[in-house]
């Protein structure tokens, strides 16, 4: 009988956080839309022959830049969408068009972009503390990479 009171009290204390838990306001569905290539923004109109391959490292402005938007991914934390600027066949820059308004997401975005530029693909690690946003980022990024290939 002496043990019954502490067991009951600790059981109730352990259940209180479960009762008070409030999930996110958004529904945890993940949907993707087809990626749409953004309008091309030529970096230099001086190159009149687009079929001339330039494999030298003299200037990256000779290759036309192509901007492609990834799919819009709805996650439990919010909407994620990226825009990728390709310089030739390489990823020149990545920009978040839409991202959840969350502190972990704000901290994770620079890490995700840096890893993308280093890996030059969507095969990157998720950021601890922003796993859901990282997965949405990778999905949108992969859609942009797929759209660029077509």
């Amino acid at each position: 009988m002496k043990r019954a009171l502490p067991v009951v009290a600790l059981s109730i204390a352990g259940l209180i956080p479960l009762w008070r838990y409030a999930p996110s306001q958004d529904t945890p569905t993940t949907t993707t839309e087809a990626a749409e290539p953004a309008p091309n923004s030529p970096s230099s109109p001086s190159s009149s022959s687009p079929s001339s391959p330039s494999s030298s490292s003299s200037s990256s402005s000779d290759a036309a830049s192509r901007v492609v938007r990834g799919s819009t991914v709805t996650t439990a934390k919010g909407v994620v969408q990226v825009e990728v600027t390709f310089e030739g066949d390489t990823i020149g820059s990545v920009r978040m068009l839409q991202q959840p308004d969350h502190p972990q997401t704000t901290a994770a975005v620079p890490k995700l972009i840096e890893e993308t530029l280093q890996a030059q693909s969507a095969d990157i690690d998720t950021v601890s503390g922003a796993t859901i946003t990282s997965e949405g980022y990778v999905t949108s990024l992969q859609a942009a990479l797929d759209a660029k290939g077509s």
Side-chain angles (χ1 to χ4, degrees):
M1 200 52 130
K2 291 180 181 180
R3 293 183 185 168
L5 187 58
V7 167
V8 170
L10 291 174
S11 296
I12 291 172
L15 290 174
I16 288 174
L18 290 176
W19 290 327
R20 297 200 54 173
Y21 176 74
S24 303
Q25 302 297 351
D26 297 332
T27 57
T29 59
T30 302
T31 59
T32 58
E33 299 174 4
E36 303 173 11
N40 290 341
S41 58
S43 60
S44 69
S46 63
S47 175
S48 61
S49 63
S51 63
S52 61
S54 173
S55 60
S56 66
S57 61
S58 61
S59 173
S60 64
S61 64
D62 291 338
S65 294
R66 181 174 179 199
V67 179
V68 180
R69 289 184 180 189
S71 60
T72 302
V73 180
T74 304
T75 68
K77 299 293 182 183
V79 179
V80 177
Q81 184 180 23
V82 300
E83 180 180 81
V84 183
T85 302
F86 294 96
E87 296 173 0
D89 288 335
T90 62
I91 299 173
S93 66
V94 180
R95 187 170 67 109
M96 291 289 281
L97 296 177
Q98 298 180 36
Q99 70 184 42
D101 185 23
H102 198 268
Q104 280 103 353
T105 299
T106 304
V109 169
K111 295 175 187 174
L112 292 168
I113 292 173
E114 180 181 343
E115 283 193 36
T116 302
L117 295 176
Q118 287 178 356
Q120 290 293 306
S121 72
D123 186 24
I124 60 173
D125 293 331
T126 59
V127 176
S128 178
T131 305
I132 294 171
T133 301
S134 298
E135 290 170 352
Y137 173 89
V138 168
T139 302
S140 183
L141 177 64
Q142 186 62 53
L145 294 174
D146 293 343
K148 190 260 181 193
S150 60

